[in-house]
Amino acid sequence: AIQMTQSPSSLSASVGDRVTISCRASQDIRNELGWYQQKPGKAPNLLIYSTSSLQSGVPSRFSGSGSDTDFTLTISSLQPEDFATYYCLHDANYPLSFGGGTKVEI
Amino acid sequence: EVQLLESGGGLVQPGGSLRLSCVTSGFIFSSSAMGWVRQAPGKGLEWVSTVEGSGATKYADSVKGRFTISRDKSKSMLYLQMDSLRAEDTALYYCARWITDTGFDYWGQGSLVTVSS
């Protein structure tokens, strides 16, 4: 099974900061990776799919990049509503697996 | 408007069974892939199971042989039959719509399952 490793597990940032979150796959997953945002007490929300495609309705300050085993989620200018936990998910094959999450705090 | 609503969670003893349901609306359920994702208290997300549009079913190793995903196309309902429950199955269980090459694009609000004596 493919393992997904996210880093860092948490980070502190300020409004307006550029934030990057990394996700590494244990084997080549091509571009089959998505990113989800989860706020406390809420269901996750899909932000990015296929590494770099922005889900409908998601602000353009969110972007994704990478390929094969190394992927990055970037928030270009952090907004107050972006403080949340972010997860990557690979869908290259079954079993699907999420990264451990990155909590973005003030 | 796409809506998903889970039900059926609760407190169950180790070794017991529980069936979760997810009622859906606002999209063509019969041709859609659906899945279950869980989150233990204070922990991260874990994929549990998916039923593809074709009807093929997939499971995480941690639940294989104990959980069964199914659907009733006539009622636009998704189910998760959970047998031989363990303490480590305690979690909030989300149902979500799966789109190939996209991901889980719509989620319910979750149903809490607690396995404890």
Side-chain angles (χ1 to χ4, degrees), chain B residues 6 32 41-42 73 82 99-101 103:
Chain B
E6 304 92 339
S32 295
K73 294 181 181 181
M82 303 183 293
I99 303 292
T100 301
D101 295 331

Side-chain angles (χ1 to χ4, degrees), chain A residues 1-2 5 9 12 15 17 21 23 29 31 35 44 57 66 80 89 98:
Chain A
I2 298 172
T5 303
S9 56
S12 296
V15 172
D17 284 354
I21 298 169
C23 187
I29 58 170
N31 74 330
W35 291 95
L89 169 67
F98 288 91

Side-chain angles (χ1 to χ4, degrees), chain A residues 10-85:
Chain A
S10 66
L11 65 90
S12 296
S14 300
V15 172
D17 284 354
R18 181 182 181 87
V19 169
T20 60
I21 298 169
S22 296
C23 187
R24 174 165 290 178
S26 60
Q27 56 186 271
D28 184 355
I29 58 170
R30 302 174 294 280
N31 74 330
E32 299 184 64
L33 183 106
W35 291 95
Y36 295 77
Q37 176 193 65
Q38 186 179 33
K39 297 180 180 180
K42 299 295 186 181
N45 181 47
L46 176 64
L47 300 176
I48 301 280
Y49 63 93
S50 298
T51 296
S52 58
S53 296
L54 198 65
Q55 176 69 350
S56 176
V58 174
S60 58
R61 63 180 179 273
F62 291 94
S63 64
S65 63
S67 64
D68 300 335
T69 60
D70 291 299
F71 302 86
T72 301
L73 173 70
T74 300
I75 309 172
S76 60
S77 178
L78 198 66
Q79 298 302 300
E81 60 268 31
D82 301 336
F83 291 95
T85 301

Side-chain angles (χ1 to χ4, degrees), chain A residues 94-96, chain B residues 32-36 47-60 63-65 67-71 78-81:
Chain A
Y94 288 105
L96 310 182
Chain B
S32 295
M34 299 292 298
W36 291 95
W47 172 75
V48 173
S49 181
T50 293
V51 55
E52 298 182 332
S54 64
T57 57
K58 307 291 184 182
Y59 299 94
V63 306
K64 197 173 295 183
F67 289 12
T68 303
I69 191 171
S70 64
R71 59 187 178 177
L78 179 72
Y79 303 101
L80 186 68
Q81 177 67 40

